[in-house]
mmCIF file of all heavy atoms in Angstrom:
data_model
loop_
_atom_site.group_PDB
_atom_site.id
_atom_site.type_symbol
_atom_site.label_atom_id
_atom_site.label_comp_id
_atom_site.label_asym_id
_atom_site.label_seq_id
_atom_site.Cartn_x
_atom_site.Cartn_y
_atom_site.Cartn_z
ATOM 1 N N PHE A 131 -109.169 -70.828 -36.964
ATOM 2 C CA PHE A 131 -107.904 -70.950 -36.237
ATOM 3 C C PHE A 131 -107.529 -72.425 -36.082
ATOM 4 O O PHE A 131 -106.367 -72.796 -36.267
ATOM 5 C CB PHE A 131 -108.025 -70.259 -34.873
ATOM 6 C CG PHE A 131 -106.712 -70.103 -34.169
ATOM 7 C CD1 PHE A 131 -105.755 -69.232 -34.647
ATOM 8 C CD2 PHE A 131 -106.435 -70.831 -33.015
ATOM 9 C CE1 PHE A 131 -104.527 -69.085 -34.002
ATOM 10 C CE2 PHE A 131 -105.218 -70.690 -32.368
ATOM 11 C CZ PHE A 131 -104.261 -69.816 -32.862
ATOM 12 N N SER A 132 -108.514 -73.269 -35.805
ATOM 13 C CA SER A 132 -108.172 -74.683 -35.600
ATOM 14 C C SER A 132 -107.739 -75.346 -36.911
ATOM 15 O O SER A 132 -106.890 -76.233 -36.908
ATOM 16 C CB SER A 132 -109.315 -75.447 -34.935
ATOM 17 O OG SER A 132 -110.395 -75.505 -35.803
ATOM 18 N N GLN A 133 -108.273 -74.895 -38.033
ATOM 19 C CA GLN A 133 -107.786 -75.426 -39.328
ATOM 20 C C GLN A 133 -106.326 -75.043 -39.557
ATOM 21 O O GLN A 133 -105.537 -75.857 -40.039
ATOM 22 C CB GLN A 133 -108.618 -74.848 -40.471
ATOM 23 C CG GLN A 133 -109.879 -75.608 -40.786
ATOM 24 C CD GLN A 133 -110.596 -74.926 -41.942
ATOM 25 O OE1 GLN A 133 -111.017 -73.766 -41.839
ATOM 26 N NE2 GLN A 133 -110.710 -75.628 -43.054
ATOM 27 N N ILE A 134 -106.009 -73.806 -39.218
ATOM 28 C CA ILE A 134 -104.615 -73.366 -39.406
ATOM 29 C C ILE A 134 -103.697 -74.215 -38.527
ATOM 30 O O ILE A 134 -102.620 -74.636 -38.954
ATOM 31 C CB ILE A 134 -104.477 -71.863 -39.091
ATOM 32 C CG1 ILE A 134 -105.250 -71.047 -40.127
ATOM 33 C CG2 ILE A 134 -103.011 -71.429 -39.073
ATOM 34 C CD1 ILE A 134 -105.317 -69.555 -39.855
ATOM 35 N N LEU A 135 -104.158 -74.521 -37.319
ATOM 36 C CA LEU A 135 -103.339 -75.324 -36.403
ATOM 37 C C LEU A 135 -103.215 -76.766 -36.865
ATOM 38 O O LEU A 135 -102.158 -77.375 -36.719
ATOM 39 C CB LEU A 135 -103.968 -75.348 -34.999
ATOM 40 C CG LEU A 135 -103.860 -74.103 -34.128
ATOM 41 C CD1 LEU A 135 -104.432 -74.409 -32.750
ATOM 42 C CD2 LEU A 135 -102.406 -73.665 -33.997
ATOM 43 N N SER A 136 -104.290 -77.336 -37.422
ATOM 44 C CA SER A 136 -104.290 -78.786 -37.622
ATOM 45 C C SER A 136 -104.056 -79.219 -39.065
ATOM 46 O O SER A 136 -103.635 -80.341 -39.305
ATOM 47 C CB SER A 136 -105.621 -79.375 -37.128
ATOM 48 O OG SER A 136 -106.677 -78.813 -37.886
ATOM 49 N N GLU A 137 -104.317 -78.370 -40.043
ATOM 50 C CA GLU A 137 -104.291 -78.850 -41.432
ATOM 51 C C GLU A 137 -103.017 -78.515 -42.187
ATOM 52 O O GLU A 137 -102.877 -78.859 -43.357
ATOM 53 C CB GLU A 137 -105.501 -78.292 -42.199
ATOM 54 C CG GLU A 137 -106.810 -78.840 -41.665
ATOM 55 C CD GLU A 137 -108.007 -78.325 -42.443
ATOM 56 O OE1 GLU A 137 -107.823 -77.748 -43.534
ATOM 57 O OE2 GLU A 137 -109.134 -78.501 -41.930
ATOM 58 N N PHE A 138 -102.102 -77.805 -41.529
ATOM 59 C CA PHE A 138 -100.877 -77.407 -42.225
ATOM 60 C C PHE A 138 -99.662 -77.762 -41.385
ATOM 61 O O PHE A 138 -99.739 -77.805 -40.161
ATOM 62 C CB PHE A 138 -100.894 -75.902 -42.518
ATOM 63 C CG PHE A 138 -102.024 -75.480 -43.404
ATOM 64 C CD1 PHE A 138 -103.242 -75.095 -42.859
ATOM 65 C CD2 PHE A 138 -101.883 -75.496 -44.783
ATOM 66 C CE1 PHE A 138 -104.295 -74.723 -43.673
ATOM 67 C CE2 PHE A 138 -102.931 -75.128 -45.610
ATOM 68 C CZ PHE A 138 -104.148 -74.737 -45.053
ATOM 69 N N GLU A 139 -98.561 -77.998 -42.094
ATOM 70 C CA GLU A 139 -97.326 -78.343 -41.393
ATOM 71 C C GLU A 139 -96.790 -77.120 -40.648
ATOM 72 O O GLU A 139 -96.613 -76.052 -41.245
ATOM 73 C CB GLU A 139 -96.301 -78.795 -42.447
ATOM 74 C CG GLU A 139 -94.986 -79.243 -41.883
ATOM 75 C CD GLU A 139 -93.885 -79.269 -42.961
ATOM 76 O OE1 GLU A 139 -94.211 -79.099 -44.159
ATOM 77 O OE2 GLU A 139 -92.714 -79.454 -42.594
ATOM 78 N N PRO A 140 -96.536 -77.268 -39.321
ATOM 79 C CA PRO A 140 -95.995 -76.117 -38.591
ATOM 80 C C PRO A 140 -94.488 -75.995 -38.792
ATOM 81 O O PRO A 140 -93.799 -76.994 -38.981
ATOM 82 C CB PRO A 140 -96.308 -76.445 -37.127
ATOM 83 C CG PRO A 140 -96.415 -77.929 -37.075
ATOM 84 C CD PRO A 140 -96.763 -78.428 -38.458
ATOM 85 N N LEU A 141 -93.976 -74.784 -38.775
ATOM 86 C CA LEU A 141 -92.527 -74.589 -38.776
ATOM 87 C C LEU A 141 -92.185 -73.267 -38.099
ATOM 88 O O LEU A 141 -93.065 -72.436 -37.849
ATOM 89 C CB LEU A 141 -91.920 -74.710 -40.169
ATOM 90 C CG LEU A 141 -92.163 -73.664 -41.221
ATOM 91 C CD1 LEU A 141 -91.185 -73.860 -42.364
ATOM 92 C CD2 LEU A 141 -93.581 -73.747 -41.743
ATOM 93 N N SER A 142 -90.888 -73.135 -37.752
ATOM 94 C CA SER A 142 -90.458 -71.970 -36.980
ATOM 95 C C SER A 142 -89.297 -71.274 -37.663
ATOM 96 O O SER A 142 -88.489 -71.911 -38.341
ATOM 97 C CB SER A 142 -89.974 -72.398 -35.591
ATOM 98 O OG SER A 142 -91.002 -73.001 -34.878
ATOM 99 N N VAL A 143 -89.212 -69.973 -37.427
ATOM 100 C CA VAL A 143 -88.052 -69.199 -37.872
ATOM 101 C C VAL A 143 -87.748 -68.166 -36.789
ATOM 102 O O VAL A 143 -88.668 -67.615 -36.182
ATOM 103 C CB VAL A 143 -88.315 -68.530 -39.248
ATOM 104 C CG1 VAL A 143 -89.452 -67.502 -39.184
ATOM 105 C CG2 VAL A 143 -87.055 -67.840 -39.778
ATOM 106 N N VAL A 144 -86.461 -67.960 -36.535
ATOM 107 C CA VAL A 144 -86.070 -66.871 -35.633
ATOM 108 C C VAL A 144 -85.803 -65.670 -36.519
ATOM 109 O O VAL A 144 -84.997 -65.744 -37.451
ATOM 110 C CB VAL A 144 -84.822 -67.232 -34.805
ATOM 111 C CG1 VAL A 144 -84.451 -66.069 -33.885
ATOM 112 C CG2 VAL A 144 -85.071 -68.497 -33.990
ATOM 113 N N ALA A 145 -86.502 -64.579 -36.266
ATOM 114 C CA ALA A 145 -86.372 -63.417 -37.150
ATOM 115 C C ALA A 145 -86.573 -62.122 -36.384
ATOM 116 O O ALA A 145 -87.351 -62.053 -35.438
ATOM 117 C CB ALA A 145 -87.376 -63.505 -38.299
ATOM 118 N N VAL A 146 -85.840 -61.108 -36.845
ATOM 119 C CA VAL A 146 -85.932 -59.768 -36.263
ATOM 120 C C VAL A 146 -87.109 -59.028 -36.885
ATOM 121 O O VAL A 146 -87.242 -58.971 -38.106
ATOM 122 C CB VAL A 146 -84.643 -58.967 -36.526
ATOM 123 C CG1 VAL A 146 -84.780 -57.529 -36.007
ATOM 124 C CG2 VAL A 146 -83.440 -59.649 -35.900
ATOM 125 N N ASN A 147 -87.940 -58.504 -36.010
ATOM 126 C CA ASN A 147 -89.031 -57.609 -36.395
ATOM 127 C C ASN A 147 -88.520 -56.191 -36.106
ATOM 128 O O ASN A 147 -88.308 -55.842 -34.952
ATOM 129 C CB ASN A 147 -90.242 -57.993 -35.524
ATOM 130 C CG ASN A 147 -91.401 -57.005 -35.594
ATOM 131 O OD1 ASN A 147 -91.304 -55.938 -36.173
ATOM 132 N ND2 ASN A 147 -92.497 -57.386 -34.967
ATOM 133 N N GLN A 148 -88.263 -55.414 -37.155
ATOM 134 C CA GLN A 148 -87.743 -54.065 -36.964
ATOM 135 C C GLN A 148 -88.598 -53.051 -37.712
ATOM 136 O O GLN A 148 -88.830 -53.193 -38.922
ATOM 137 C CB GLN A 148 -86.296 -53.937 -37.464
ATOM 138 C CG GLN A 148 -85.730 -52.550 -37.215
ATOM 139 C CD GLN A 148 -84.385 -52.255 -37.863
ATOM 140 O OE1 GLN A 148 -83.564 -51.549 -37.304
ATOM 141 N NE2 GLN A 148 -84.153 -52.774 -39.052
ATOM 142 N N CYS A 149 -89.033 -52.030 -37.003
ATOM 143 C CA CYS A 149 -89.774 -50.942 -37.645
ATOM 144 C C CYS A 149 -88.861 -50.225 -38.641
ATOM 145 O O CYS A 149 -87.683 -50.002 -38.365
ATOM 146 C CB CYS A 149 -90.274 -49.961 -36.596
ATOM 147 S SG CYS A 149 -91.211 -48.601 -37.303
ATOM 148 N N THR A 150 -89.430 -49.838 -39.778
ATOM 149 C CA THR A 150 -88.663 -49.114 -40.791
ATOM 150 C C THR A 150 -88.114 -47.809 -40.216
ATOM 151 O O THR A 150 -87.063 -47.321 -40.634
ATOM 152 C CB THR A 150 -89.559 -48.799 -42.004
ATOM 153 O OG1 THR A 150 -90.450 -49.890 -42.215
ATOM 154 C CG2 THR A 150 -88.742 -48.585 -43.256
ATOM 155 N N GLY A 151 -88.836 -47.269 -39.226
ATOM 156 C CA GLY A 151 -88.415 -45.996 -38.629
ATOM 157 C C GLY A 151 -87.569 -46.167 -37.381
ATOM 158 O O GLY A 151 -87.326 -45.187 -36.671
ATOM 159 N N ASN A 152 -87.098 -47.391 -37.109
ATOM 160 C CA ASN A 152 -86.254 -47.583 -35.917
ATOM 161 C C ASN A 152 -85.080 -46.598 -35.967
ATOM 162 O O ASN A 152 -84.469 -46.417 -37.028
ATOM 163 C CB ASN A 152 -85.745 -49.035 -35.859
ATOM 164 C CG ASN A 152 -85.169 -49.379 -34.496
ATOM 165 O OD1 ASN A 152 -85.519 -48.749 -33.477
ATOM 166 N ND2 ASN A 152 -84.294 -50.373 -34.453
ATOM 167 N N SER A 153 -84.789 -45.967 -34.818
ATOM 168 C CA SER A 153 -83.695 -44.979 -34.689
ATOM 169 C C SER A 153 -83.988 -43.643 -35.375
ATOM 170 O O SER A 153 -83.080 -42.835 -35.580
ATOM 171 C CB SER A 153 -82.356 -45.532 -35.200
ATOM 172 O OG SER A 153 -82.133 -46.833 -34.713
ATOM 173 N N ARG A 154 -85.255 -43.393 -35.707
ATOM 174 C CA ARG A 154 -85.600 -42.139 -36.406
ATOM 175 C C ARG A 154 -85.148 -40.893 -35.640
ATOM 176 O O ARG A 154 -84.866 -39.853 -36.245
ATOM 177 C CB ARG A 154 -87.107 -42.078 -36.651
ATOM 178 C CG ARG A 154 -87.543 -40.828 -37.376
ATOM 179 C CD ARG A 154 -89.038 -40.788 -37.635
ATOM 180 N NE ARG A 154 -89.448 -41.697 -38.679
ATOM 181 C CZ ARG A 154 -90.406 -42.620 -38.555
ATOM 182 N NH1 ARG A 154 -91.048 -42.745 -37.410
ATOM 183 N NH2 ARG A 154 -90.730 -43.400 -39.558
ATOM 184 N N SER A 155 -85.053 -40.990 -34.312
ATOM 185 C CA SER A 155 -84.686 -39.798 -33.534
ATOM 186 C C SER A 155 -83.279 -39.312 -33.868
ATOM 187 O O SER A 155 -82.895 -38.211 -33.496
ATOM 188 C CB SER A 155 -84.795 -40.089 -32.034
ATOM 189 O OG SER A 155 -83.949 -41.158 -31.678
ATOM 190 N N ARG A 156 -82.488 -40.120 -34.576
ATOM 191 C CA ARG A 156 -81.131 -39.699 -34.970
ATOM 192 C C ARG A 156 -81.126 -38.764 -36.169
ATOM 193 O O ARG A 156 -80.101 -38.179 -36.495
ATOM 194 C CB ARG A 156 -80.290 -40.910 -35.363
ATOM 195 C CG ARG A 156 -80.311 -42.041 -34.402
ATOM 196 C CD ARG A 156 -79.486 -41.690 -33.165
ATOM 197 N NE ARG A 156 -79.346 -42.876 -32.338
ATOM 198 C CZ ARG A 156 -78.462 -43.833 -32.570
ATOM 199 N NH1 ARG A 156 -77.638 -43.753 -33.584
ATOM 200 N NH2 ARG A 156 -78.408 -44.868 -31.779
ATOM 201 N N PHE A 157 -82.238 -38.708 -36.894
ATOM 202 C CA PHE A 157 -82.224 -37.967 -38.161
ATOM 203 C C PHE A 157 -82.024 -36.475 -37.935
ATOM 204 O O PHE A 157 -82.594 -35.885 -37.029
ATOM 205 C CB PHE A 157 -83.540 -38.199 -38.930
ATOM 206 C CG PHE A 157 -83.514 -39.442 -39.768
ATOM 207 C CD1 PHE A 157 -83.482 -40.688 -39.181
ATOM 208 C CD2 PHE A 157 -83.516 -39.370 -41.150
ATOM 209 C CE1 PHE A 157 -83.448 -41.848 -39.955
ATOM 210 C CE2 PHE A 157 -83.486 -40.515 -41.928
ATOM 211 C CZ PHE A 157 -83.450 -41.752 -41.332
ATOM 212 N N PHE A 158 -81.218 -35.888 -38.785
ATOM 213 C CA PHE A 158 -81.057 -34.452 -38.789
ATOM 214 C C PHE A 158 -80.894 -33.983 -40.225
ATOM 215 O O PHE A 158 -80.040 -34.518 -40.923
ATOM 216 C CB PHE A 158 -79.848 -34.031 -37.947
ATOM 217 C CG PHE A 158 -79.858 -32.572 -37.692
ATOM 218 C CD1 PHE A 158 -80.671 -32.036 -36.702
ATOM 219 C CD2 PHE A 158 -79.101 -31.720 -38.482
ATOM 220 C CE1 PHE A 158 -80.711 -30.664 -36.491
ATOM 221 C CE2 PHE A 158 -79.148 -30.342 -38.266
ATOM 222 C CZ PHE A 158 -79.953 -29.816 -37.276
ATOM 223 N N PRO A 159 -81.673 -32.980 -40.708
ATOM 224 C CA PRO A 159 -82.786 -32.341 -40.028
ATOM 225 C C PRO A 159 -83.826 -33.347 -39.515
ATOM 226 O O PRO A 159 -84.041 -34.379 -40.151
ATOM 227 C CB PRO A 159 -83.401 -31.453 -41.100
ATOM 228 C CG PRO A 159 -82.371 -31.332 -42.179
ATOM 229 C CD PRO A 159 -81.494 -32.515 -42.082
ATOM 230 N N ARG A 160 -84.452 -32.987 -38.385
ATOM 231 C CA ARG A 160 -85.468 -33.850 -37.786
ATOM 232 C C ARG A 160 -86.598 -34.113 -38.779
ATOM 233 O O ARG A 160 -86.902 -33.283 -39.621
ATOM 234 C CB ARG A 160 -86.065 -33.174 -36.539
ATOM 235 C CG ARG A 160 -85.063 -32.867 -35.449
ATOM 236 C CD ARG A 160 -84.478 -34.109 -34.835
ATOM 237 N NE ARG A 160 -85.429 -34.887 -34.054
ATOM 238 C CZ ARG A 160 -85.570 -34.791 -32.744
ATOM 239 N NH1 ARG A 160 -84.848 -33.938 -32.059
ATOM 240 N NH2 ARG A 160 -86.429 -35.544 -32.103
ATOM 241 N N VAL A 161 -87.201 -35.302 -38.665
ATOM 242 C CA VAL A 161 -88.344 -35.629 -39.527
ATOM 243 C C VAL A 161 -89.514 -36.038 -38.632
ATOM 244 O O VAL A 161 -89.308 -36.554 -37.532
ATOM 245 C CB VAL A 161 -88.005 -36.779 -40.516
ATOM 246 C CG1 VAL A 161 -87.017 -36.307 -41.567
ATOM 247 C CG2 VAL A 161 -87.473 -37.998 -39.788
ATOM 248 N N PRO A 162 -90.745 -35.793 -39.085
ATOM 249 C CA PRO A 162 -91.892 -36.192 -38.264
ATOM 250 C C PRO A 162 -92.037 -37.709 -38.221
ATOM 251 O O PRO A 162 -91.469 -38.412 -39.058
ATOM 252 C CB PRO A 162 -93.089 -35.547 -38.975
ATOM 253 C CG PRO A 162 -92.617 -35.221 -40.350
ATOM 254 C CD PRO A 162 -91.125 -35.107 -40.315
ATOM 255 N N GLY A 163 -92.805 -38.197 -37.253
ATOM 256 C CA GLY A 163 -93.004 -39.643 -37.096
ATOM 257 C C GLY A 163 -92.552 -40.042 -35.704
ATOM 258 O O GLY A 163 -91.914 -39.257 -34.999
ATOM 259 N N THR A 164 -92.860 -41.275 -35.319
ATOM 260 C CA THR A 164 -92.475 -41.778 -34.006
ATOM 261 C C THR A 164 -90.973 -41.615 -33.793
ATOM 262 O O THR A 164 -90.177 -42.077 -34.616
ATOM 263 C CB THR A 164 -92.847 -43.277 -33.906
ATOM 264 O OG1 THR A 164 -94.242 -43.397 -34.180
ATOM 265 C CG2 THR A 164 -92.547 -43.842 -32.546
ATOM 266 N N GLN A 165 -90.588 -40.976 -32.699
ATOM 267 C CA GLN A 165 -89.160 -40.691 -32.474
ATOM 268 C C GLN A 165 -88.486 -41.863 -31.756
ATOM 269 O O GLN A 165 -88.110 -41.786 -30.580
ATOM 270 C CB GLN A 165 -89.006 -39.377 -31.695
ATOM 271 C CG GLN A 165 -89.482 -38.166 -32.496
ATOM 272 C CD GLN A 165 -88.724 -37.980 -33.814
ATOM 273 O OE1 GLN A 165 -87.500 -37.919 -33.826
ATOM 274 N NE2 GLN A 165 -89.454 -37.887 -34.932
ATOM 275 N N TRP A 166 -88.349 -42.968 -32.475
ATOM 276 C CA TRP A 166 -87.725 -44.162 -31.917
ATOM 277 C C TRP A 166 -86.266 -43.914 -31.551
ATOM 278 O O TRP A 166 -85.537 -43.264 -32.295
ATOM 279 C CB TRP A 166 -87.714 -45.306 -32.937
ATOM 280 C CG TRP A 166 -89.025 -45.846 -33.388
ATOM 281 C CD1 TRP A 166 -89.607 -45.647 -34.610
ATOM 282 C CD2 TRP A 166 -89.904 -46.704 -32.660
ATOM 283 N NE1 TRP A 166 -90.794 -46.332 -34.671
ATOM 284 C CE2 TRP A 166 -90.994 -46.988 -33.489
ATOM 285 C CE3 TRP A 166 -89.868 -47.274 -31.379
ATOM 286 C CZ2 TRP A 166 -92.063 -47.809 -33.097
ATOM 287 C CZ3 TRP A 166 -90.920 -48.082 -30.983
ATOM 288 C CH2 TRP A 166 -91.994 -48.345 -31.829
ATOM 289 N N GLY A 167 -85.830 -44.491 -30.405
ATOM 290 C CA GLY A 167 -84.417 -44.735 -30.196
ATOM 291 C C GLY A 167 -84.083 -46.006 -30.961
ATOM 292 O O GLY A 167 -84.559 -46.199 -32.093
ATOM 293 N N ASN A 168 -83.287 -46.909 -30.347
ATOM 294 C CA ASN A 168 -82.946 -48.152 -31.051
ATOM 295 C C ASN A 168 -83.898 -49.303 -30.705
ATOM 296 O O ASN A 168 -83.689 -50.419 -31.155
ATOM 297 C CB ASN A 168 -81.523 -48.578 -30.706
ATOM 298 C CG ASN A 168 -80.482 -47.703 -31.390
ATOM 299 O OD1 ASN A 168 -80.789 -47.012 -32.359
ATOM 300 N ND2 ASN A 168 -79.263 -47.728 -30.878
ATOM 301 N N GLY A 169 -84.939 -49.037 -29.904
ATOM 302 C CA GLY A 169 -85.766 -50.141 -29.406
ATOM 303 C C GLY A 169 -87.036 -50.390 -30.190
ATOM 304 O O GLY A 169 -87.954 -51.046 -29.682
#
Side-chain angles (χ1 to χ4, degrees):
F131 191 69
S132 66
Q133 274 180 298
I134 293 174
L135 285 185
S136 61
E137 294 182 13
F138 299 90
E139 182 197 351
L141 70 166
S142 298
V143 64
V144 180
V146 176
N147 169 352
Q148 182 189 215
C149 181
T150 324
N152 194 24
S153 314
R154 181 179 287 127
S155 59
R156 311 286 189 81
F157 275 68
F158 193 79
R160 300 294 292 264
V161 290
T164 304
Q165 294 301 306
W166 296 107
N168 286 342

